[in-house]
Amino acid sequence: MAFRGPKVWLWRWRRNPLKRRADAVEAWVVLGAWALTVLAGVLVGWAAARSVEDGLARERVEWRPIAGRLTERAPGKASAQVSASSGDQVWAKVGWTAPDGSAHTGQVRVAPGSAAGTRVTIWTDRQGRLVTEPTTAAQARVRASLVGGLAGVAAAAVPFAGGRVLRGRLEHRRVEQWDVEWARFDALWGRPAG
């Protein structure tokens, strides 16, 4: 590992008679890697967040609540304390009529022990297929932000890692050049290299 003195900001960009071509190349590699890292992270993150938010907005517009009826009694014991919104729900078979008039059946979560024929609200898409309740606008923003952030970080990692690898190769090459130059210098002094 090469000796590193105190950190001097922007040293790669200063005029210096001892600055080698490798130093200038490394300066451009570092600048390019950081610029690509930031640019890729921001653009990919923004595009992913926008795509997720648009998809969830489309679901809110296209998916509709309709009334369905349980076709059989839900498993479990009915309890006066259990409400349809509580976490204690079971799967039960429900039937509904799609907008085109066709009959459909599927599985939904309901309160345990619900009687056959109980009315339940279900969500369907334009074709009448059973779907989950769409996210609210606030939930969509949170989900889009999380997906966009993760996509941005993942995209930014590629140019960052590429820059680190390229910079490592340049450092290795520079150390090899130093070895060659020291061997030449030692030969001038009459000492054996190594």
Side-chain angles (χ1 to χ4, degrees), residues 12 20-31 166 170 173:
R12 290 181 177 97
R20 299 165 298 199
R21 182 171 182 239
D23 296 329
V25 169
E26 184 178 0
W28 285 106
V29 165
V30 169
L31 180 65
L166 187 56
L170 289 171
R173 185 174 172 197

PDB file of all heavy atoms in Angstrom, residues 12 20-31 166 170 173:
ATOM      1  N   ARG A  12      -5.753  16.261  -7.472  1.00  0.00           N
ATOM      2  CA  ARG A  12      -5.614  15.686  -8.808  1.00  0.00           C
ATOM      3  C   ARG A  12      -5.731  16.741  -9.903  1.00  0.00           C
ATOM      4  O   ARG A  12      -5.308  16.535 -11.018  1.00  0.00           O
ATOM      5  CB  ARG A  12      -6.679  14.619  -9.025  1.00  0.00           C
ATOM      6  CG  ARG A  12      -6.463  13.380  -8.214  1.00  0.00           C
ATOM      7  CD  ARG A  12      -7.554  12.368  -8.517  1.00  0.00           C
ATOM      8  NE  ARG A  12      -7.329  11.136  -7.805  1.00  0.00           N
ATOM      9  CZ  ARG A  12      -7.884  10.817  -6.663  1.00  0.00           C
ATOM     10  NH1 ARG A  12      -8.698  11.649  -6.086  1.00  0.00           N
ATOM     11  NH2 ARG A  12      -7.632   9.659  -6.094  1.00  0.00           N
ATOM     12  N   ARG A  20       1.857  12.821 -12.898  1.00  0.00           N
ATOM     13  CA  ARG A  20       2.016  11.911 -14.037  1.00  0.00           C
ATOM     14  C   ARG A  20       0.705  11.810 -14.813  1.00  0.00           C
ATOM     15  O   ARG A  20      -0.345  12.227 -14.335  1.00  0.00           O
ATOM     16  CB  ARG A  20       2.417  10.525 -13.516  1.00  0.00           C
ATOM     17  CG  ARG A  20       3.731  10.531 -12.772  1.00  0.00           C
ATOM     18  CD  ARG A  20       3.862   9.279 -11.998  1.00  0.00           C
ATOM     19  NE  ARG A  20       2.766   9.270 -11.026  1.00  0.00           N
ATOM     20  CZ  ARG A  20       2.735   8.529  -9.953  1.00  0.00           C
ATOM     21  NH1 ARG A  20       3.712   7.712  -9.707  1.00  0.00           N
ATOM     22  NH2 ARG A  20       1.721   8.572  -9.122  1.00  0.00           N
ATOM     23  N   ARG A  21       0.810  11.205 -15.971  1.00  0.00           N
ATOM     24  CA  ARG A  21      -0.386  10.986 -16.789  1.00  0.00           C
ATOM     25  C   ARG A  21      -1.373  10.091 -16.052  1.00  0.00           C
ATOM     26  O   ARG A  21      -2.577  10.284 -16.127  1.00  0.00           O
ATOM     27  CB  ARG A  21       0.022  10.358 -18.119  1.00  0.00           C
ATOM     28  CG  ARG A  21      -1.146  10.152 -19.038  1.00  0.00           C
ATOM     29  CD  ARG A  21      -0.685   9.733 -20.418  1.00  0.00           C
ATOM     30  NE  ARG A  21      -1.842   9.598 -21.268  1.00  0.00           N
ATOM     31  CZ  ARG A  21      -2.177   8.481 -21.875  1.00  0.00           C
ATOM     32  NH1 ARG A  21      -1.420   7.421 -21.748  1.00  0.00           N
ATOM     33  NH2 ARG A  21      -3.247   8.424 -22.619  1.00  0.00           N
ATOM     34  N   ALA A  22      -0.853   9.116 -15.303  1.00  0.00           N
ATOM     35  CA  ALA A  22      -1.712   8.203 -14.542  1.00  0.00           C
ATOM     36  C   ALA A  22      -2.539   8.961 -13.502  1.00  0.00           C
ATOM     37  O   ALA A  22      -3.685   8.591 -13.220  1.00  0.00           O
ATOM     38  CB  ALA A  22      -0.870   7.132 -13.862  1.00  0.00           C
ATOM     39  N   ASP A  23      -1.970  10.019 -12.936  1.00  0.00           N
ATOM     40  CA  ASP A  23      -2.713  10.823 -11.967  1.00  0.00           C
ATOM     41  C   ASP A  23      -3.886  11.532 -12.635  1.00  0.00           C
ATOM     42  O   ASP A  23      -4.977  11.610 -12.067  1.00  0.00           O
ATOM     43  CB  ASP A  23      -1.796  11.845 -11.297  1.00  0.00           C
ATOM     44  CG  ASP A  23      -0.705  11.204 -10.466  1.00  0.00           C
ATOM     45  OD1 ASP A  23      -0.954  10.105  -9.915  1.00  0.00           O
ATOM     46  OD2 ASP A  23       0.389  11.784 -10.373  1.00  0.00           O
ATOM     47  N   ALA A  24      -3.662  12.060 -13.818  1.00  0.00           N
ATOM     48  CA  ALA A  24      -4.735  12.737 -14.553  1.00  0.00           C
ATOM     49  C   ALA A  24      -5.825  11.743 -14.970  1.00  0.00           C
ATOM     50  O   ALA A  24      -7.018  12.035 -14.855  1.00  0.00           O
ATOM     51  CB  ALA A  24      -4.180  13.446 -15.780  1.00  0.00           C
ATOM     52  N   VAL A  25      -5.407  10.556 -15.421  1.00  0.00           N
ATOM     53  CA  VAL A  25      -6.385   9.523 -15.801  1.00  0.00           C
ATOM     54  C   VAL A  25      -7.216   9.125 -14.586  1.00  0.00           C
ATOM     55  O   VAL A  25      -8.439   9.007 -14.663  1.00  0.00           O
ATOM     56  CB  VAL A  25      -5.671   8.295 -16.415  1.00  0.00           C
ATOM     57  CG1 VAL A  25      -6.622   7.128 -16.565  1.00  0.00           C
ATOM     58  CG2 VAL A  25      -5.053   8.662 -17.756  1.00  0.00           C
ATOM     59  N   GLU A  26      -6.558   8.938 -13.449  1.00  0.00           N
ATOM     60  CA  GLU A  26      -7.285   8.564 -12.231  1.00  0.00           C
ATOM     61  C   GLU A  26      -8.265   9.666 -11.822  1.00  0.00           C
ATOM     62  O   GLU A  26      -9.381   9.384 -11.376  1.00  0.00           O
ATOM     63  CB  GLU A  26      -6.318   8.283 -11.086  1.00  0.00           C
ATOM     64  CG  GLU A  26      -7.019   7.807  -9.827  1.00  0.00           C
ATOM     65  CD  GLU A  26      -6.071   7.492  -8.709  1.00  0.00           C
ATOM     66  OE1 GLU A  26      -4.848   7.632  -8.873  1.00  0.00           O
ATOM     67  OE2 GLU A  26      -6.568   7.111  -7.631  1.00  0.00           O
ATOM     68  N   ALA A  27      -7.863  10.918 -11.982  1.00  0.00           N
ATOM     69  CA  ALA A  27      -8.753  12.030 -11.644  1.00  0.00           C
ATOM     70  C   ALA A  27     -10.020  11.984 -12.494  1.00  0.00           C
ATOM     71  O   ALA A  27     -11.133  12.158 -11.983  1.00  0.00           O
ATOM     72  CB  ALA A  27      -8.030  13.357 -11.851  1.00  0.00           C
ATOM     73  N   TRP A  28      -9.864  11.723 -13.781  1.00  0.00           N
ATOM     74  CA  TRP A  28     -11.032  11.647 -14.655  1.00  0.00           C
ATOM     75  C   TRP A  28     -11.874  10.416 -14.363  1.00  0.00           C
ATOM     76  O   TRP A  28     -13.106  10.467 -14.452  1.00  0.00           O
ATOM     77  CB  TRP A  28     -10.604  11.693 -16.123  1.00  0.00           C
ATOM     78  CG  TRP A  28     -10.212  13.070 -16.536  1.00  0.00           C
ATOM     79  CD1 TRP A  28      -8.951  13.535 -16.765  1.00  0.00           C
ATOM     80  CD2 TRP A  28     -11.084  14.179 -16.725  1.00  0.00           C
ATOM     81  NE1 TRP A  28      -8.981  14.859 -17.083  1.00  0.00           N
ATOM     82  CE2 TRP A  28     -10.286  15.294 -17.077  1.00  0.00           C
ATOM     83  CE3 TRP A  28     -12.453  14.356 -16.639  1.00  0.00           C
ATOM     84  CZ2 TRP A  28     -10.823  16.541 -17.332  1.00  0.00           C
ATOM     85  CZ3 TRP A  28     -12.988  15.613 -16.896  1.00  0.00           C
ATOM     86  CH2 TRP A  28     -12.174  16.686 -17.240  1.00  0.00           C
ATOM     87  N   VAL A  29     -11.231   9.306 -14.018  1.00  0.00           N
ATOM     88  CA  VAL A  29     -11.983   8.094 -13.670  1.00  0.00           C
ATOM     89  C   VAL A  29     -12.828   8.337 -12.424  1.00  0.00           C
ATOM     90  O   VAL A  29     -14.007   7.984 -12.372  1.00  0.00           O
ATOM     91  CB  VAL A  29     -11.018   6.893 -13.456  1.00  0.00           C
ATOM     92  CG1 VAL A  29     -11.724   5.746 -12.755  1.00  0.00           C
ATOM     93  CG2 VAL A  29     -10.451   6.440 -14.783  1.00  0.00           C
ATOM     94  N   VAL A  30     -12.237   8.959 -11.408  1.00  0.00           N
ATOM     95  CA  VAL A  30     -12.976   9.239 -10.174  1.00  0.00           C
ATOM     96  C   VAL A  30     -14.139  10.189 -10.456  1.00  0.00           C
ATOM     97  O   VAL A  30     -15.270   9.953 -10.022  1.00  0.00           O
ATOM     98  CB  VAL A  30     -12.033   9.816  -9.097  1.00  0.00           C
ATOM     99  CG1 VAL A  30     -12.813  10.366  -7.921  1.00  0.00           C
ATOM    100  CG2 VAL A  30     -11.051   8.758  -8.632  1.00  0.00           C
ATOM    101  N   LEU A  31     -13.871  11.253 -11.189  1.00  0.00           N
ATOM    102  CA  LEU A  31     -14.932  12.208 -11.511  1.00  0.00           C
ATOM    103  C   LEU A  31     -16.048  11.545 -12.321  1.00  0.00           C
ATOM    104  O   LEU A  31     -17.234  11.710 -12.023  1.00  0.00           O
ATOM    105  CB  LEU A  31     -14.358  13.400 -12.278  1.00  0.00           C
ATOM    106  CG  LEU A  31     -15.371  14.474 -12.671  1.00  0.00           C
ATOM    107  CD1 LEU A  31     -15.944  15.141 -11.433  1.00  0.00           C
ATOM    108  CD2 LEU A  31     -14.724  15.497 -13.588  1.00  0.00           C
ATOM    109  N   LEU A 166     -11.773  -0.104 -11.702  1.00  0.00           N
ATOM    110  CA  LEU A 166     -10.864   0.582 -12.620  1.00  0.00           C
ATOM    111  C   LEU A 166      -9.789   1.343 -11.859  1.00  0.00           C
ATOM    112  O   LEU A 166      -8.612   1.316 -12.223  1.00  0.00           O
ATOM    113  CB  LEU A 166     -11.654   1.525 -13.529  1.00  0.00           C
ATOM    114  CG  LEU A 166     -10.878   2.205 -14.650  1.00  0.00           C
ATOM    115  CD1 LEU A 166     -10.178   1.177 -15.529  1.00  0.00           C
ATOM    116  CD2 LEU A 166     -11.824   3.045 -15.491  1.00  0.00           C
ATOM    117  N   LEU A 170      -5.696   0.845 -11.956  1.00  0.00           N
ATOM    118  CA  LEU A 170      -4.766   1.948 -12.177  1.00  0.00           C
ATOM    119  C   LEU A 170      -3.738   2.021 -11.046  1.00  0.00           C
ATOM    120  O   LEU A 170      -2.552   2.269 -11.293  1.00  0.00           O
ATOM    121  CB  LEU A 170      -5.526   3.276 -12.279  1.00  0.00           C
ATOM    122  CG  LEU A 170      -6.353   3.485 -13.545  1.00  0.00           C
ATOM    123  CD1 LEU A 170      -7.211   4.734 -13.412  1.00  0.00           C
ATOM    124  CD2 LEU A 170      -5.447   3.570 -14.762  1.00  0.00           C
ATOM    125  N   ARG A 173      -1.244  -0.759 -11.517  1.00  0.00           N
ATOM    126  CA  ARG A 173      -0.337  -0.424 -12.621  1.00  0.00           C
ATOM    127  C   ARG A 173       0.684   0.632 -12.192  1.00  0.00           C
ATOM    128  O   ARG A 173       1.860   0.549 -12.539  1.00  0.00           O
ATOM    129  CB  ARG A 173      -1.161   0.081 -13.799  1.00  0.00           C
ATOM    130  CG  ARG A 173      -0.361   0.338 -15.034  1.00  0.00           C
ATOM    131  CD  ARG A 173      -1.288   0.679 -16.165  1.00  0.00           C
ATOM    132  NE  ARG A 173      -0.522   1.100 -17.313  1.00  0.00           N
ATOM    133  CZ  ARG A 173      -1.016   1.752 -18.317  1.00  0.00           C
ATOM    134  NH1 ARG A 173      -2.291   2.049 -18.346  1.00  0.00           N
ATOM    135  NH2 ARG A 173      -0.273   2.096 -19.319  1.00  0.00           N
TER     136      ARG A 173
END
